[in-house]
């Protein structure tokens, strides 16, 4: 059901969005998606060129209330070229409220994670859920993964997770 602005249904069970294609764009700068209540919010397996902009992943439409996924975003399966937010102020995602991992990178090459709020609610002041990992990078084949950047606009706010960024492999 809906109350005018907030869609208040449950999740899809396994995946909010399962992407196995090329050049996908999930969300946009004007009206991103609310992806919540699933085992995995966005799962990209073997994708080439995925872009994720302006979404609320693991949160309700208000950006304050958790509507948890277990994992917010999963990148794996030998994928290449992922951009999760970028330096433009309108392209960042709110990735929060997820139970075990906000962003999990496994067997993926060339990943940029920039200008996102990862952990706290949209105000940046409090965590809706105690999440274990903000960004979890694992597997020998996860290479060229950049979290943040040199420019102020590329910085992520990673807070209120048990571990902010956990790298458990070489080659990153």
């Amino acid at each position: 059901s809906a109350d005018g602005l907030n869609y208040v249904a449950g999740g899809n069970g396994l995946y909010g969005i399962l992407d196995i294609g090329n050049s996908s764009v999930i969300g946009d700068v004007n009206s991103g998606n609310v992806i919540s209540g699933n085992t995995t919010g966005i799962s990209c397996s073997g994708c080439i060129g995925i872009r994720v902009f302006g979404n609320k992943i693991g949160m309700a439409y208000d950006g304050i209330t958790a509507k948890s996924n277990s994992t917010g975003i999963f990148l794996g399966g030998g994928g290449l070229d992922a951009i999760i937010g970028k330096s433009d102020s309108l392209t960042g995602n709110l990735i929060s409220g997820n139970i075990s991992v906000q962003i999990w990178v496994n067997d993926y090459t060339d990943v940029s994670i920039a200008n996102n709020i990862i952990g706290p609610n949209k105000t940046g002041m409090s965590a809706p859920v105690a999440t274990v990992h903000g960004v979890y990078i694992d597997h020998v084949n996860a290479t060229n993964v950049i979290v943040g950047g040199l420019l102020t606009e590329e910085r992520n706010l990673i807070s209120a997770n048990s571990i902010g960024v956990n790298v458990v492999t070489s080659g990153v």
Side-chain angles (χ1 to χ4, degrees):
S1 64
D3 67 4
L5 293 175
N6 298 301
Y7 188 68
V8 290
N12 295 300
L14 193 53
Y15 303 110
I17 297 175
L18 173 61
D19 187 354
I20 55 173
N22 297 325
S23 302
S24 299
V25 178
I26 300 172
D28 70 24
V29 298
N30 296 314
S31 59
N33 302 291
V34 175
I35 304 167
S36 57
N38 308 288
T39 301
T40 302
I42 299 172
S43 180
C44 181
S45 184
C47 302
I48 297 173
I50 188 172
R51 306 294 184 256
V52 181
F53 302 133
N55 300 289
K56 293 180 178 96
I57 302 167
M59 298 296 289
Y61 181 83
D62 66 7
I64 302 292
T65 308
K67 296 280 289 178
S68 302
N69 301 296
S70 180
T71 297
I73 299 174
F74 174 77
L75 302 174
L80 173 68
D81 184 26
I83 298 176
I84 311 300
K86 62 181 185 175
S87 60
D88 179 320
S89 65
L90 299 174
T91 60
N93 299 282
L94 174 60
I95 308 165
S96 185
N98 300 295
I99 297 166
S100 58
V101 182
Q102 310 289 6
I103 301 173
W104 180 5
V105 181
N106 176 353
D107 190 17
Y108 216 94
T109 300
D110 297 334
V111 177
S112 171
I113 301 169
N115 191 33
N116 299 288
I117 297 175
I118 304 171
N121 65 27
K122 73 177 184 179
T123 69
M125 300 303 291
S126 64
V129 172
T131 302
V132 178
H133 300 282
V135 179
Y136 185 78
I137 303 167
D138 74 351
H139 200 280
V140 173
N141 295 319
T143 56
N144 196 28
V145 178
I146 300 170
V147 179
L150 299 175
L151 302 175
T152 302
E153 300 83 25
E154 296 171 323
R155 295 178 185 162
N156 296 289
L157 171 58
I158 304 173
S159 177
N161 304 287
S162 294
I163 302 169
V165 178
N166 191 1
V167 180
V168 293
T169 186
S170 61
V172 178

